[in-house]
């Protein structure tokens, strides 16, 4: 059976959690392969009594909500252990079984000094800030690349852990005290905090790469779930306004230990419009009533931070780019219902940069920063589409919108989200 990757095809917050949850009952493993608790998923599950239960997940894979599915935190993730156990405790209190969770021994751990450095560095940068969440994600990935990081497996050897913390703090305390005028972090305090999680963490930890490859050998299905998105990828995103990990299909392999030859399907998630959190260029951004309308109707506020998201129209140029970079086989178009009530819906089909038309992403970041969207205008619709369950149930203009953006975006649109609830999805082509 295949490994399937779910990838964000814009700047994140596209609805990957819902798409993962949609497939969850049909897969055996759901793997988070990158990022940390700087990106959240919101999943809404309808109950038999008619109530809706909303779950905000920050670090855990969405598969944790599906009985019988094994959720996995892969080696490409950086883990704030306090957040991990707080999230697990919150789910247990609501009756969710979390006993199947598995955590890679090679995943890196966010230490207290990483969080401190993240916050003070952003403040120091001022107008040149990146727009991080201040949760220590970037500094932890930097430690990983500098080979001074702390891994999950280090928590089970106090001597090794102490040595690694000492090595990391030799430089970091110099930076904290002499550049930022902050108090030095003690080795003892950091080691004590991390060791405090070891006993509870130990039963969850394993060689997750081996676990997942053995599952594929048994013809079980593995779903790889990205945090963040293509335009936030450290290599392929709008650098430097990106995350610190690989959020593309290539990252799905390096962050999980599954080889690329076992990826069978790559599902790109796109909103029917576009949003972005944090700093950086955004050609279709709306600083007017239309942008505020999308924000309010779409509830565009960060799952993890609560920050209002920047909103704009659908950008087919970045969708084509994401399709190419990831090898997208299927798109899931989410939040089509948010566009209900608009007379016309603009779609960006190309950019104007100093009078020159660009149908693809400009190679120069400065050109992208100054790009002006070239729009086509599609007819809107007024009918409530939240009850649609087949493509034929949608109004003619809504169907035409889906078909138009499909033709522009480089891959077929296989499912369409028409509301926030778990089953509010129109499936055009099977995703498994």
């Amino acid at each position: 059976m295949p490994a399937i990757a779910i990838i964000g095809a814009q700047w994140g917050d596209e609805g990957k959690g819902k798409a993962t949850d949609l497939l969850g009952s049909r897969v055996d493993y759901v793997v988070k392969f990158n990022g940390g608790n700087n990106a959240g998923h919101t999943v809404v599950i309808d109950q038999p009594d008619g109530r809706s239960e909303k779950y905000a997940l920050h670090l855990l894979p969405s598969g944790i909500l599906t009985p019988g599915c094994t959720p996995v935190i892969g080696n490409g993730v950086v883990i704030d252990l306090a957040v991990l156990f707080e999230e697990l405790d919150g789910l247990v209190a609501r009756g969710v079984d979390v006993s199947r969770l598995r955590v890679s021994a090679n995943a890196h751990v966010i230490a207290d000094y990483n969080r401190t450095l993240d916050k003070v560095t952003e403040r120091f940068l001022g107008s040149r800030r990146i727009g991080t969440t201040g949760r220590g994600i970037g500094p932890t990935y930097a430690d990983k690349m500098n080979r001074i990081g702390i891994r999950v497996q280090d928590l089970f050897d106090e001597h090794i852990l102490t040595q690694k913390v000492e090595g990391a703090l030799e430089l970091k305390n110099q930076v904290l005290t002499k550049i930022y005028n902050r108090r030095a972090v003690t080795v003892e305090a950091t080691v004590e905090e991390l060791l405090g999680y070891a006993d509870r963490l130990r039963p969850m930890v394993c060689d997750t790469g081996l676990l997942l490859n053995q599952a594929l050998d048994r013809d079980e299905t593995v779903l790889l779930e990205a945090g963040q998105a293509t335009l936030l990828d450290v290599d392929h995103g709008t650098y430097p306004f990106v995350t610190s990990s690989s959020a593309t299909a290539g990252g799905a392999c390096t962050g999980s230990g599954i080889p690329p030859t076992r990826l069978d399907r790559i599902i790109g998630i796109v909103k029917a419009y576009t949003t972005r959190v944090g700093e950086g260029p955004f050609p279709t951004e709306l600083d007017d009533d239309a942008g505020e309308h999308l924000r309010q109707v779409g509830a565009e506020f960060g799952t993890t931070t609560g920050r209002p998201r920047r909103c704009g129209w659908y950008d087919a140029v970045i969708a084509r780019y994401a399709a190419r970079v990831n090898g997208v086989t299927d798109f899931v178009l989410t939040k089509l219902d948010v566009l209900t009530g608009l007379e016309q819906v603009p779609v960006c089909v190309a950019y104007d940069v100093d009078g020159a038309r660009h149908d693809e992403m400009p190679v120069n970041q400065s050109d992208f920063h100054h790009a002006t969207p070239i729009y086509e205008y599609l007819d809107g619709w007024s009918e409530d589409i939240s009850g649609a369950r087949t493509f034929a149930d949608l109004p003619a203009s809504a169907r035409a919108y889906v078909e138009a953006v499909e033709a522009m975006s480089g891959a077929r649109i296989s499912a369409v989200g028409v509301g926030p609830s778990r089953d509010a999805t129109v499936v055009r082509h099977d995703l498994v």
Side-chain angles (χ1 to χ4, degrees):
M1 291 297 288
I4 302 168
I6 286 189
I7 304 296
Q10 295 161 318
W11 279 285
D13 309 307
E14 302 94 347
K16 296 182 292 296
K18 182 181 179 183
T20 302
D21 186 64
L22 176 69
L23 297 172
S25 61
R26 303 174 62 190
V27 301
D28 301 290
Y29 292 80
V30 175
V31 186
K32 180 166 182 171
F33 64 80
N34 78 302
N37 57 305
N38 55 342
H41 297 313
T42 300
V43 178
V44 180
I45 300 178
D46 292 333
Q47 303 298 309
D49 60 5
R51 294 180 301 109
S52 292
E53 288 278 354
K54 181 182 289 188
Y55 295 87
L57 304 175
H58 308 282
L59 185 57
L60 293 169
S62 299
I64 197 129
L65 298 173
T66 303
C69 179
T70 298
V72 177
I73 295 177
N75 57 274
V77 178
V78 294
I79 304 174
D80 186 318
L81 292 169
V83 173
L84 174 65
F85 290 124
E86 180 182 349
E87 204 164 326
L88 289 171
D89 290 341
L91 291 178
V92 170
R94 297 176 69 177
V96 177
D97 177 15
V98 300
S99 63
R100 300 174 70 94
L101 176 67
R102 295 295 176 264
V103 177
S104 172
N106 290 338
H108 280 246
V109 174
I110 299 172
D112 52 355
Y113 49 79
N114 295 129
R115 291 187 291 269
T116 300
L117 280 167
D118 200 358
K119 292 173 184 175
V120 298
T121 301
E122 274 287 279
R123 286 199 292 269
F124 182 80
L125 287 171
S127 63
R128 294 177 290 110
R129 64 189 181 275
I130 303 299
T132 76
T133 57
R135 286 164 166 77
I137 312 296
T140 305
Y141 276 112
D143 284 358
K144 176 179 179 177
M145 294 305 172
N146 286 327
R147 292 160 290 183
I148 57 170
I150 309 299
R151 298 196 293 178
V152 165
Q153 59 183 278
D154 298 329
L155 273 63
F156 309 128
D157 186 325
E158 184 174 352
H159 179 67
I160 291 293
L161 177 61
T162 302
Q163 281 188 330
K164 289 195 170 186
V165 172
E166 286 174 345
L169 286 178
E170 281 182 7
L171 172 62
K172 294 180 188 298
N173 273 335
Q174 297 291 320
V175 174
L176 284 170
T177 59
K178 295 182 179 178
I179 297 178
Y180 296 123
N181 197 29
R182 296 296 294 262
R183 182 182 303 169
V185 177
T186 69
V187 173
E188 294 76 17
T190 300
V191 170
E192 181 180 2
E193 178 191 349
L194 294 176
L195 286 178
Y197 300 113
D199 289 343
R200 186 174 179 188
L201 186 63
R202 192 186 301 271
M204 308 174 187
V205 176
C206 68
D207 181 344
T208 52
L210 176 62
L211 176 77
L212 296 171
N213 277 280
Q214 288 177 336
L216 291 169
D217 290 340
R218 294 193 300 268
D219 289 333
E220 295 176 329
T221 302
V222 174
L223 186 64
L224 302 160
E225 171 191 43
Q228 292 88 34
T230 301
L231 273 295
L232 292 175
D233 183 271
V234 69
D235 285 291
H236 302 291
T238 48
Y239 190 89
F241 303 100
V242 294
T243 193
S244 300
S245 63
S246 297
T248 49
C253 296
T254 57
S256 67
I258 291 176
T261 51
R262 306 201 82 158
L263 277 180
D264 180 74
R265 182 166 289 185
I266 298 168
I267 302 170
I269 314 301
V270 286
K271 276 181 186 163
Y273 49 101
T274 310
T275 63
R276 177 167 197 170
V277 171
E279 308 299 320
F282 182 179
T284 68
E285 182 174 12
L286 299 166
D287 293 316
D288 55 14
D289 291 344
E292 188 60 28
H293 173 80
L294 292 175
R295 184 176 299 111
Q296 295 300 326
V297 176
E300 295 297 348
F301 300 89
T303 301
T304 296
T305 64
R307 288 187 293 182
R309 296 173 184 144
R310 301 157 63 190
C311 296
W313 301 120
Y314 188 87
D315 189 331
V317 181
I318 66 172
R320 287 195 294 273
Y321 176 74
R324 171 167 57 84
V325 167
N326 292 291
V328 170
T329 59
D330 303 80
F331 276 121
V332 174
L333 184 75
T334 62
K335 290 197 167 184
L336 184 66
D337 53 301
V338 174
L339 302 181
T340 298
L342 300 176
E343 289 187 12
Q344 283 192 317
V345 186
V347 174
C348 174
V349 297
Y351 303 138
D352 181 285
V353 181
D354 296 329
R357 180 183 173 111
H358 290 251
D359 291 296
E360 302 294 341
M361 285 278 288
V363 66
N364 188 306
Q365 181 71 25
S366 296
D367 287 344
F368 184 68
H369 185 78
H370 294 103
T372 300
I374 298 172
Y375 287 118
E376 287 187 9
Y377 294 85
L378 304 177
D379 291 335
W381 59 93
S382 58
E383 300 92 330
D384 179 7
I385 65 171
S386 61
R389 294 298 179 268
T390 69
F391 196 59
D393 292 339
L394 294 172
S397 294
R399 295 197 303 271
Y401 181 86
V402 173
E403 290 167 345
V405 299
E406 178 180 59
M408 301 171 188
S409 299
R412 68 183 187 181
I413 293 177
S414 294
V416 181
V418 294
S421 65
R422 193 177 204 177
D423 65 342
T425 305
V426 171
V427 177
R428 300 176 74 205
H429 307 285
D430 196 6
L431 291 171
V432 178

